[in-house]
Amino acid sequence: RSVYDDQPNAHQKFMEKLDACIRNHDREIEKMCNFHHQGFVDAITELLKVRADAEKLKVQVTDTNRRLQDAGKEVIAQTEEIIRCRVQQRNITTVVEKLQLCLPVLEMYSKLKEQMSVKRYYSALKTMEQLENLYLPRVSQYRFCQIMIENLPKLREEIKEISMSDLKDFLESIRKHSDRIGETAMKQAQQQKTFGTALQKQNNVNYGRNTHLGRNRILESKNELTLKRTFEDEDEHEEEVLTAQDLVDFSPVYRCLHIYSVLGDGEVFENYYRKQRRKQARLVLQPQSSMHETVEGYRRYFSQIVGFFVVEDHILHVTQGLVTRTYTDELWNMALSKIIAVLRTHSSYCSDPDLVLELKNLIVVFADTLQGYGFPVNRLFDLLFEIRDQYNETLLKKWSGLFRDIFEADNYSPIPVANEEEYRIVISKFPFQDPELDKQSFPKKLPMSQSVPQIYMQVKEFIYASLKFSESLHRSSTEIDDMLRKSTNLLLTRTLSSCLQNLIKKPHIGLTELVQIIINTTHLEQACKYLEDFISNITNISQLTVHTARLYGLSTFKDARHAAEGEIYTKLNQKIDEFIQIADYDWTMSESDGRASGYLMDLINFLRSTFQVFTHLPGKVAQTACMSACQHLSMSLMQMLLDSELKQISMGAIQQFNLDVIQCELFASSEPVPGFQGDTLQLAFIDLRQLLDLFMVWDWSTYLADYGQATSKYLRVNPSTALTLLEKMKDSSKKNNIFAQFRKNDRDKQKLIETVVKQLRSLVNGMSQHT
């Protein structure tokens, strides 16, 4: 470095110095060689001397070597054999060592194949994991290991596909068998509930006791029978209680879950499972179009839903994370909304109360079953209250038909009882008490007709039918009592009232039937308090409770009675009109027949016989009917006189008409219905009487002089009425010579009539102007 770092031409100077140094070394070497040359020569001389000995020695060595080689050939052969054996031994040892490394791999792979063949896929995955992590790295240099390594991912995919196929088969299986799973779960829940209810009813000795019919004995015997059957069923099926695990093999789910979890695709599997189950839930929740026609349709629908959620609940509790409580709650809320909508739609088509009741029982068992698995079911019980209203409507329709049939079959005659036994049969059906009737000897008649005890019994049957729906709704006795009373009120105020109103309006119902209907409604009204006691005995709720509702039967039967009374008045008036229509007066007769008209006598005889039937009616009803008939008769006779189509009337016709009115007055004074004070009934004909008296006496001067005074003898005679009748008589006198005696005796009398007519017209005009 110093050479090259020096000044220019340093290289040349260096080469010169190097050559000088080489020459110095050559001189020193030459000196050294010259110093040792003699010794070298001596050595060469000595070597020449030993050449001969060396040749001799070489011959000896060669001979010795030959002999030694000949002698060692066998040793060499044995030595080579030993070497060969030792090489083989070393190779064998190496092979054994390598095979000892490979055998576990092959055994594990064989085990893997066997696990695959017997479908133990989760174990196969564990075996793969051991192969990859523990065994294959030791022998990865061998080709068969590479083949194994390449096959393992394919085997994993095969396992995933097979497990997924098994899962799909499982999903299809539970889709088909969910109704059986649900049916089994509902049966178990129903058996537990029936057992508990039977024990509760057995301990409650007052449950359902009835003081009238002794139906408590029937109910208690049914409860004992139910309890006995329940115990027998429990003993018989004690070892046959099936669960979802017994009916369904859940191993494909566990296997697939473990497999996907091991493969790191647990989330993929969870999403797939939940997606598929949601699809199945929608299919399960989809009802058949004819589901509402039979109870089996509803049963299958509920069984499928219960089976679906029983499976989900089982999966929730035996797996970790496959489904969560949040997921099941979300699925249940979705299902619950759909279920309620379906039940609302399909139950609205049910017109049979028995089918609605069976539907209610199914919903209760359905709700109790799912509630036992932890699902909230309050909305289902709220829905039952809506269905209860519909059930009541179907009951009302059914009982409406029953009531109509009872009314149609009734003969509307008092119930005859020939002996004590028949009497007890009647009062066992209807709470009838009459001390006066009890004193009478047999045979005798009860005042009501056959429809009364039948209606009473049907009302009680309705209460029992309504009670059937109220049971198992998890409601208190007070609420059940309130439901029964409200339902009974609807039956009385709407259904029975409507049937009574329609019955009363029917054309074939005559006066006798109407009278019997009034008597019947009176006894039914009195029996309402027994119906209240009947409900209280069923529910064990005292009527003295503040919140206890009352029955509205009193108003129902009062309204029906008033309608019947009004119909009596109407039919009486119609009958009177029928008699009036057959009246055949000769309005131009010169003299009367001297006796009342035949139609009127027939009418009076009809009224007498009719009012005799009214003796069973309350006094005011009979009196009102009699007064109404007399007033209507009086009005009809007055309208007959004043009819605009009647143009002429003779004095003889007036006299004949007067005879008829006298018969009406005699009928009124004969007191056809007791209870009238004085001449109250005769006052119905007072207008006719004063009008006829005026024409019969011809006391116009008194009438005109006293008109408008409170003490007038003809106070009830209206000037326009008198004028109308007088003009008809005047026209008749011109043609029929009725007033011939006036013309013969004195024409002034004719002028007097004209004067009276003018004065009456003045009065009428004055009244109209004043008005």
Side-chain angles (χ1 to χ4, degrees):
R1 182 178 297 175
S2 62
V3 172
Y4 289 101
D5 291 341
D6 208 345
Q7 299 177 356
N9 299 323
H11 177 69
Q12 185 177 0
K13 292 178 180 181
F14 170 73
M15 294 302 294
E16 291 174 354
K17 289 181 181 181
L18 182 60
D19 290 337
C21 183
I22 290 173
R23 286 192 299 271
N24 289 332
H25 281 293
D26 287 340
R27 283 192 297 270
E28 289 177 0
I29 291 171
E30 185 177 357
K31 289 178 180 180
M32 182 63 68
C33 288
N34 290 334
F35 177 76
H36 292 288
H37 179 70
Q38 187 61 41
F40 177 73
V41 172
D42 292 338
I44 291 299
T45 303
E46 190 172 352
L47 283 174
L48 290 173
K49 288 180 180 181
V50 296
R51 175 180 293 181
D53 293 334
E55 289 291 337
K56 184 178 178 179
L57 179 60
K58 179 179 178 182
V59 171
Q60 291 177 352
V61 170
T62 304
D63 183 57
T64 301
N65 180 56
R66 180 184 56 77
R67 287 188 284 108
L68 182 61
Q69 291 293 334
D70 294 338
K73 284 182 179 180
E74 184 177 355
V75 176
I76 290 171
Q78 293 178 356
T79 302
E80 290 177 353
E81 182 67 22
I82 290 171
I83 291 171
R84 188 179 63 78
C85 289
R86 287 185 177 177
V87 170
Q88 288 179 350
Q89 186 177 10
R90 186 176 64 250
N91 291 339
I92 291 172
T93 302
T94 303
V95 169
V96 170
E97 291 177 355
K98 297 302 181 182
L99 286 176
Q100 285 177 346
L101 290 175
C102 293
L103 279 177
V105 176
L106 296 173
E107 289 175 355
M108 292 297 289
Y109 196 79
S110 175
K111 181 180 178 182
L112 173 62
K113 288 293 186 180
E114 182 180 357
Q115 290 171 341
M116 291 288 292
S117 64
V118 297
K119 298 183 179 181
R120 295 175 57 195
Y121 301 116
Y122 180 69
S123 300
L125 288 175
K126 291 295 184 183
T127 303
M128 288 184 195
E129 185 178 356
Q130 292 179 353
L131 277 172
E132 287 182 328
N133 298 331
L134 184 61
Y135 294 98
L136 286 177
R138 298 175 184 175
V139 290
S140 59
Q141 67 272 22
Y142 301 111
R143 284 187 302 165
F144 75 90
C145 293
Q146 295 298 324
I147 295 173
M148 290 181 183
I149 293 173
E150 293 174 359
N151 284 338
L152 290 181
K154 298 178 181 179
L155 291 176
R156 282 196 176 92
E157 289 299 323
E158 182 181 352
I159 290 174
K160 286 179 66 175
E161 292 175 0
I162 293 174
S163 61
M164 183 57 69
S165 176
D166 291 344
L167 177 68
K168 292 178 180 179
D169 294 340
F170 165 79
L171 293 175
E172 182 65 23
S173 175
I174 60 174
R175 172 71 181 90
K176 293 179 180 179
H177 296 93
S178 60
D179 55 342
R180 186 183 174 195
I181 299 171
E183 185 178 356
T184 302
M186 290 172 69
K187 283 182 179 179
Q188 293 174 4
Q190 191 172 15
Q191 288 174 359
Q192 294 175 359
K193 183 177 180 180
T194 303
F195 181 74
T197 304
L199 287 178
Q200 182 180 3
K201 290 183 178 181
Q202 187 184 40
N203 294 330
N204 187 3
V205 295
N206 292 324
Y207 182 85
R209 184 162 295 172
N210 178 15
T211 58
H212 298 304
L213 293 180
R215 182 149 183 162
N216 58 330
R217 294 192 294 273
I218 300 174
L219 288 176
E220 288 173 1
S221 62
K222 286 183 179 180
N223 293 338
E224 293 175 0
L225 181 60
T226 302
L227 182 61
K228 181 179 180 182
R229 289 179 178 174
T230 301
F231 280 120
E232 291 176 353
D233 292 341
E234 288 293 329
D235 294 337
E236 182 179 356
H237 301 288
E238 184 176 2
E239 298 180 356
E240 298 181 2
V241 177
L242 300 177
T243 61
Q245 300 94 310
D246 301 322
L247 297 173
V248 178
D249 180 16
F250 287 92
S251 58
V253 181
Y254 309 148
R255 191 161 52 242
C256 200
L257 175 62
H258 290 313
I259 289 171
Y260 274 78
S261 299
V262 170
L263 297 177
D265 292 334
E267 186 176 354
V268 174
F269 172 73
E270 291 172 8
N271 294 333
Y272 176 81
Y273 177 84
R274 295 180 185 181
K275 181 180 179 181
Q276 295 301 315
R277 290 297 279 166
R278 282 194 180 94
K279 290 182 179 179
Q280 288 189 344
R282 294 187 182 94
L283 292 176
V284 167
L285 295 171
Q286 190 66 31
Q288 296 181 355
S289 58
S290 60
M291 184 181 72
H292 63 278
E293 296 178 356
T294 61
V295 70
E296 289 302 321
Y298 288 107
R299 193 188 306 279
R300 181 176 177 81
Y301 180 68
F302 288 136
S303 298
Q304 289 178 344
I305 297 174
V306 171
F308 178 89
F309 283 99
V310 166
V311 170
E312 290 304 289
D313 181 77
H314 179 75
I315 295 295
L316 172 67
H317 289 90
V318 299
T319 60
Q320 295 181 352
L322 180 56
V323 295
T324 62
R325 176 57 66 182
T326 302
Y327 161 78
T328 55
D329 290 344
E330 178 185 352
L331 201 60
W332 169 245
N333 290 330
M334 181 272 291
L336 192 58
S337 300
K338 178 66 175 178
I339 292 167
I340 292 175
V342 168
L343 291 179
R344 278 196 182 122
T345 302
H346 285 264
S347 63
S348 62
Y349 297 118
C350 295
S351 58
D352 183 6
D354 294 334
L355 180 58
V356 179
L357 183 61
E358 290 181 351
L359 172 60
K360 167 258 176 182
N361 293 331
L362 281 177
I363 294 176
V364 170
V365 175
F366 173 74
D368 290 342
T369 303
L370 288 175
Q371 191 174 32
Y373 285 91
F375 295 99
V377 293
N378 293 333
R379 291 174 63 187
L380 286 174
F381 284 102
D382 294 337
L383 174 66
L384 283 175
F385 281 93
E386 298 179 19
I387 298 179
R388 177 178 61 85
D389 296 335
Q390 181 186 347
Y391 174 72
N392 286 335
E393 289 297 326
T394 58
L395 285 182
L396 292 176
K397 291 181 181 178
K398 178 179 179 180
W399 257 256
S400 176
L402 293 175
F403 289 153
R404 286 196 301 268
D405 294 340
I406 291 173
F407 289 139
E408 288 293 334
D410 195 8
N411 58 4
Y412 298 98
S413 300
I415 302 175
V417 287
N419 49 49
E420 182 71 21
E421 182 180 358
E422 293 183 2
Y423 179 72
R424 291 189 179 278
I425 291 175
V426 175
I427 63 174
S428 67
K429 298 178 181 178
F430 182 77
F432 174 74
Q433 296 178 356
D434 189 349
E436 294 297 328
L437 187 63
D438 292 341
K439 296 177 183 179
Q440 298 179 12
S441 59
F442 291 98
K444 53 187 175 183
K445 291 184 178 181
L446 302 181
M448 65 278 190
S449 67
Q450 192 63 44
S451 63
V452 172
Q454 293 176 355
I455 291 293
Y456 183 79
M457 290 294 295
Q458 286 301 327
V459 172
K460 295 177 74 172
E461 289 298 326
F462 176 87
I463 294 173
Y464 277 121
S466 182
L467 176 64
K468 289 180 182 178
F469 196 95
S470 301
E471 293 176 337
S472 306
L473 292 184
H474 305 299
R475 297 293 171 176
S476 64
S477 299
T478 303
E479 291 175 307
I480 293 177
D481 182 86
D482 186 61
M483 292 178 191
L484 289 180
R485 292 179 185 273
K486 288 182 178 179
S487 300
T488 308
N489 278 331
L490 282 176
L491 178 71
L492 296 177
T493 59
R494 195 173 75 182
T495 305
L496 182 56
S497 176
S498 176
C499 290
L500 284 171
Q501 296 291 341
N502 293 334
L503 174 67
I504 292 168
K505 297 295 183 181
K506 287 187 176 181
H508 69 275
I509 298 298
L511 292 172
T512 304
E513 288 80 2
L514 289 172
V515 171
Q516 188 62 55
I517 290 173
I518 292 176
I519 297 172
N520 290 349
T521 54
T522 303
H523 288 283
L524 287 173
E525 179 182 343
Q526 295 171 355
C528 283
K529 61 180 181 179
Y530 296 101
L531 290 176
E532 291 184 343
D533 295 338
F534 176 72
I535 295 175
S536 298
N537 291 329
I538 291 178
T539 60
N540 289 329
I541 299 297
S542 173
Q543 296 187 42
L544 301 178
T545 306
V546 177
H547 301 289
T548 302
R550 311 298 297 180
L551 294 183
Y552 301 143
L554 299 177
S555 60
T556 296
F557 298 121
K558 284 181 180 178
D559 293 342
R561 192 159 53 250
H562 292 160
E565 292 169 3
E567 194 68 18
I568 286 177
Y569 307 149
T570 302
K571 287 187 179 294
L572 268 177
N573 293 341
Q574 290 176 351
K575 200 67 178 177
I576 291 172
D577 292 339
E578 292 176 4
F579 280 100
I580 295 295
Q581 288 176 1
I582 63 175
D584 187 16
Y585 281 103
D586 181 6
W587 297 107
T588 60
M589 65 174 59
S590 59
E591 294 182 359
S592 67
D593 294 340
R595 62 179 185 275
S597 302
Y599 85 92
L600 187 68
M601 297 306 298
D602 293 339
L603 172 59
I604 291 175
N605 291 332
F606 165 76
L607 292 177
R608 288 185 189 278
S609 61
T610 300
F611 291 139
Q612 287 178 359
V613 178
F614 286 7
T615 54
H616 298 291
L617 288 176
K620 291 184 178 179
V621 177
Q623 292 170 13
T624 304
C626 186
M627 176 60 74
S628 173
C630 290
Q631 289 177 345
H632 186 73
L633 177 57
S634 175
M635 186 181 301
S636 299
L637 292 174
M638 180 69 77
Q639 290 177 352
M640 189 184 300
L641 282 177
L642 303 178
D643 188 3
S644 60
E645 295 183 359
L646 179 60
K647 303 300 184 181
Q648 301 174 10
I649 186 170
S650 65
M651 180 56 72
I654 293 291
Q655 292 171 353
Q656 181 63 43
F657 200 82
N658 182 57
L659 292 175
D660 294 343
V661 173
I662 291 173
Q663 290 298 322
C664 294
E665 292 171 332
L666 291 174
F667 169 74
S669 61
S670 66
E671 197 175 6
V673 173
F676 286 106
Q677 296 180 356
D679 56 352
T680 303
L681 194 59
Q682 292 92 314
L683 292 178
F685 301 96
I686 188 64
D687 292 352
L688 267 176
R689 172 46 50 210
Q690 290 187 8
L691 179 63
L692 292 174
D693 286 348
L694 176 61
F695 278 84
M696 293 294 294
V697 180
W698 208 255
D699 193 8
W700 292 104
S701 59
T702 303
Y703 174 75
L704 295 172
D706 296 341
Y707 177 75
Q709 298 180 9
T711 58
S712 175
K713 181 180 179 181
Y714 306 101
L715 181 64
R716 306 298 296 271
V717 179
N718 190 291
S720 61
T721 302
L723 177 61
T724 301
L725 188 57
L726 189 60
E727 287 180 338
K728 292 180 179 182
M729 294 181 68
K730 177 182 176 183
D731 293 339
S732 178
S733 65
K734 294 179 180 179
K735 295 183 178 180
N736 298 330
N737 204 22
I738 294 177
F739 291 98
Q741 65 273 21
F742 293 114
R743 292 196 298 273
K744 291 179 181 179
N745 299 328
D746 193 358
R747 292 185 179 273
D748 294 338
K749 291 183 178 180
Q750 180 66 26
K751 294 181 179 180
L752 177 62
I753 294 175
E754 296 177 354
T755 303
V756 170
V757 170
K758 291 179 181 179
Q759 291 178 349
L760 288 174
R761 286 176 179 170
S762 300
L763 288 175
V764 171
N765 294 333
M767 290 174 61
S768 61
Q769 291 177 0
H770 177 70
T771 303

